[in-house]
C-alpha cells in the first residue's frame, strides 16, 4: 500500500455546511409551501446546472419567466446564497489543516458554480490551501461522472491508488472507487481522522 496517501476532499457538506433550508426557513415559513417550492421551483436539478457552468443570471431569468409569482424567492437563491452555507464543518477543516501541517498535499473535487466558488474563496480562506482543486463549473463536468476524477489525476500527476476521496454522496463515492480511488463516505457522526488513518493517510 502506498505510504502517505493523498486525501481528496469534497467541499459541500464535508468542509462547508450547505442546505437551502437555512435560507428558505425564514423566506417561506410555511413548511408545506417551502417543501413544494424546493421540489418544484428551485429544484436540485436546476441548481446542479449552475455547478455545470450555467451562469446564475441565466438560471434566475429562466425560473422567473416560468414562475413569476415566486420571483423574490428565486432571486434570493442567488443574491442570498451565502445564507445556505451557515458554517464550516470544524472537525473536517481541522483535519485538512493537520494534513497540511504535516506537509501532505491535499486536493478537492467539488460540484460548485464558478461565481459562488470565487466568493467562497474569499469568505473561507482555507479553501485556498489545496494543492489542486477541480471545480465542476470550470470543467463543465459533474460528479459522479468518472471523467471529473480523471481530470484531477491527470492534471496533478496522481495515481488513483494513492488517493482517498471523501464525499457525503454515495454515488460520488461509488464513482471514485470505480476509477480506483479508496473512499470515505462522510456521514455524521464520523471520526474522519480515524477513517483516513485506516486507509493510509498521514494523520
Amino acid at each position: 500500500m502506498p505510504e502517505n496517501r493523498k486525501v481528496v476532499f469534497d467541499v459541500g457538506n464535508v468542509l462547508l455546511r450547505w442546505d437551502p433550508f437555512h435560507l428558505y426557513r425564514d423566506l417561506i415559513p410555511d413548511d408545506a409551501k417551502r417543501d413544494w417550492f424546493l421540489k418544484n421551483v428551485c429544484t436540485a436539478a436546476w441548481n446542479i446546472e449552475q455547478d455545470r457552468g450555467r451562469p446564475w443570471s441565466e438560471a434566475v431569468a429562466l425560473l422567473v419567466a416560468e414562475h413569476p409569482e415566486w420571483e423574490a424567492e428565486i432571486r434570493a437563491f442567488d443574491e442570498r446564497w451565502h445564507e445556505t452555507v451557515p458554517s464550516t464543518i470544524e472537525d473536517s477543516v481541522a483535519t485538512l489543516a493537520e494534513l497540511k501541517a504535516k506537509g501532505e498535499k491535499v486536493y478537492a473535487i467539488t460540484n460548485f458554480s464558478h461565481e459562488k466558488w470565487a466568493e467562497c474563496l474569499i469568505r473561507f480562506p482555507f479553501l485556498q490551501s489545496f494543492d489542486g482543486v477541480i471545480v465542476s463549473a470550470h470543467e463543465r463536468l459533474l460528479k459522479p461522472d468518472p471523467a471529473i476524477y480523471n481530470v484531477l489525476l491527470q492534471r496533478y500527476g496522481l495515481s488513483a491508488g494513492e488517493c482517498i476521496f471523501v464525499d457525503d454522496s454515495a454515488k460520488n463515492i461509488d464513482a471514485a472507487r470505480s476509477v480506483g480511488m479508496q473512499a470515505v463516505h462522510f456521514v455524521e457522526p464520523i471520526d474522519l481522522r480515524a477513517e483516513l488513518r485506516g486507509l493510509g493517510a498521514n494523520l
Side-chain angles (χ1 to χ4, degrees):
M1 184 173 70
E3 293 184 1
N4 297 356
R5 289 178 179 247
K6 307 296 189 294
V7 181
V8 183
F9 289 88
D10 174 32
V11 174
N13 291 324
V14 171
L15 293 165
L16 302 178
R17 298 197 184 281
W18 178 82
D19 191 334
F21 174 80
H22 298 299
L23 168 63
Y24 287 103
R25 64 183 168 190
D26 294 327
L27 276 178
I28 310 175
D30 183 274
D31 292 346
K33 286 183 179 179
R34 181 175 60 249
D35 186 58
W36 185 91
F37 175 82
L38 291 172
K39 287 181 178 176
N40 294 277
V41 183
C42 286
T43 64
W46 168 79
N47 183 61
I48 200 72
E49 291 307 311
Q50 285 74 272
D51 291 351
R52 197 193 302 273
R54 177 171 63 185
W56 271 93
S57 57
E58 179 183 329
V60 168
L62 283 169
L63 276 197
V64 169
E66 291 178 15
H67 304 279
E69 71 279 15
W70 290 102
E71 179 173 0
E73 291 82 2
I74 293 166
R75 292 192 182 282
F77 206 122
D78 176 25
E79 295 168 1
R80 296 173 59 180
W81 181 89
H82 282 279
E83 292 177 51
T84 70
V85 184
S87 64
T88 62
I89 298 176
E90 292 183 3
D91 186 66
S92 297
V93 175
T95 301
L96 168 62
E98 188 175 332
L99 286 163
K100 290 293 293 183
K102 292 190 173 189
E104 296 300 314
K105 291 192 172 183
V106 293
Y107 301 88
I109 303 175
T110 182
N111 286 350
F112 230 102
S113 80
H114 63 87
E115 295 109 318
K116 304 312 181 191
W117 179 251
E119 293 170 10
C120 280
L121 288 175
I122 297 169
R123 181 179 169 196
F124 303 104
F126 77 87
L127 293 174
Q128 300 180 42
S129 69
F130 292 109
D131 294 280
V133 180
I134 303 300
V135 177
S136 61
H138 298 168
E139 311 300 331
R140 295 190 174 269
L141 290 169
L142 290 167
K143 292 177 295 180
D145 185 341
I148 197 168
Y149 303 85
N150 286 319
V151 169
L152 175 87
L153 300 177
Q154 293 162 12
R155 186 165 299 165
Y156 299 108
L158 303 171
S159 66
E162 69 180 323
C163 294
I164 307 169
F165 181 63
V166 184
D167 199 293
D168 65 304
S169 162
K171 289 182 180 179
N172 296 346
I173 289 295
D174 289 345
R177 288 176 175 149
S178 79
V179 302
M181 295 180 176
Q182 289 198 284
V184 174
H185 190 193
F186 189 91
V187 179
E188 294 180 289
I190 184 174
D191 186 340
L192 182 58
R193 286 178 185 82
E195 295 281 345
L196 293 173
R197 196 180 298 119
L199 293 174
N202 181 23
L203 281 166

